[in-house]
Amino acid sequence: MFLFQFVNYYSSLVYVAFFKGRFYGYPAEMKYNIFNYRLEQCDPAGCMMELVIQLAIIMVGKQVLNNFMEIALPALKNCLARKFKRGDKENCELARWEQDYLLQPNPLLGFFNEYLEMVIQYGFVTLFVAAFPLAPLFALINNVMEIRIDAYKYTVAYRRPFHARAQDIGTWLPILRGVSVLAVIFNALVIAYTSDFVQKLVHVYGYSENHSLDGYINNSLSVFATKDFPPDVAPDYNTITVNTELNATEFCRYRGYRYPAGDPNQYTVTLQNWHVLAAQLAFVVIFEHVVFFIAWLIAIIIPDVPRKVHEQMVREKKLAKEVLYTAELKERKQERSNSETQSEIKSF
């Protein structure tokens, strides 16, 4: 169930962040087309803003819809139950426990849906937080509302749930750990590939004369000659009625590090493209290793179980062993005493 929800909510975000606009060469290149249709491209400014909008809509929309359903659905079911099962007038004369029995039964899966909702929200907060830093704030607001909504749901809308003892949260703990590991990798990839952070660093320290972002836009755009368009994809100027003054355009710009039109190596990638790619890979490796090292160090410094609690647990185990040893020793002595008594009786 979690894998299904994971794919359902995060697949579009992963596509926008890591795949959309990646399979693209230059305007006249046709090898990345499918059925003579060019693959979808990002905005000229990149896919980061589209990722932010997509994440905000999915996360906030899901929270609003879930909160509305948790309030409205049980209330509607209880209203229908009162209307069609016994009638309002008769319900007023019932005992309190009979009125409570008419409330909605607890879900068959128990708290599974509650855990699933929290884990999905944790994924929204951590997986793409580099693209949408406001995600933790929206999660906090939602959790404050969720506390009151769940209080209403379990005290007013549902019957009293049966208590059950549990040692921990079960299989959700390794799921949260897996999401945390993915979050480090995803954020490293978002910063390195989806944003322009690494490209700007390469420009500043490798290609800028004054070590600034001056000329970055011009440096990140390549030149394409419109005459190099294949006949089947070239613009039909006879049908263009808007911005007709652009019909005589001879050159256009596109994102990428390629040699310009007219160069002996025209439209092939430049050395800067490989510099950027190497810097992106290096950033991902360094970023995730640093984060994992910090997490490992914190796990060592702050143990899962405090020292006093650990000592108390060891003491309780020791006392339990002593009690068991004493009881077993007493039982053995009693058996030996009974056997000696029986042997004396037989001797007489």
Side-chain angles (χ1 to χ4, degrees), residues 64-84:
V64 173
L65 180 61
N66 284 351
N67 290 337
F68 175 77
M69 294 299 295
E70 288 184 6
I71 295 177
L73 195 60
L76 180 60
K77 289 183 178 179
N78 289 331
C79 181
L80 294 177
R82 289 193 299 267
K83 290 289 184 181
F84 296 102

Side-chain angles (χ1 to χ4, degrees), residues 280-297:
Q280 289 173 333
L281 294 176
F283 176 85
V284 171
V285 173
I286 295 174
F287 180 87
E288 64 181 25
H289 277 71
V290 169
V291 173
F292 287 143
F293 173 76
I294 294 175
W296 172 78
L297 187 62

Side-chain angles (χ1 to χ4, degrees), residues 53-95:
I53 296 173
Q54 186 90 346
L55 178 58
I57 292 175
I58 294 178
M59 179 180 178
V60 178
K62 174 183 176 299
Q63 292 174 349
V64 173
L65 180 61
N66 284 351
N67 290 337
F68 175 77
M69 294 299 295
E70 288 184 6
I71 295 177
L73 195 60
L76 180 60
K77 289 183 178 179
N78 289 331
C79 181
L80 294 177
R82 289 193 299 267
K83 290 289 184 181
F84 296 102
K85 286 187 177 180
R86 293 180 177 272
D88 289 337
K89 184 175 180 180
E90 187 177 355
N91 283 342
C92 296
E93 301 173 357
L94 295 177

Side-chain angles (χ1 to χ4, degrees), residues 1-11 62 109 111-127 169-183 186:
M1 177 65 78
F2 172 74
L3 290 177
F4 173 78
Q5 295 288 352
F6 186 91
V7 174
N8 186 35
Y9 285 108
Y10 302 136
S11 58
K62 174 183 176 299
L109 297 177
F111 291 105
F112 176 84
N113 291 328
E114 300 293 337
Y115 278 117
L116 179 62
E117 181 181 356
M118 290 295 102
V119 173
I120 294 296
Q121 177 185 263
Y122 178 73
F124 283 126
V125 171
T126 57
L127 290 177
I169 61 176
T171 188
W172 294 106
L173 182 58
I175 290 177
L176 288 172
R177 288 176 177 171
V179 173
S180 300
V181 173
L182 285 178
F186 276 27

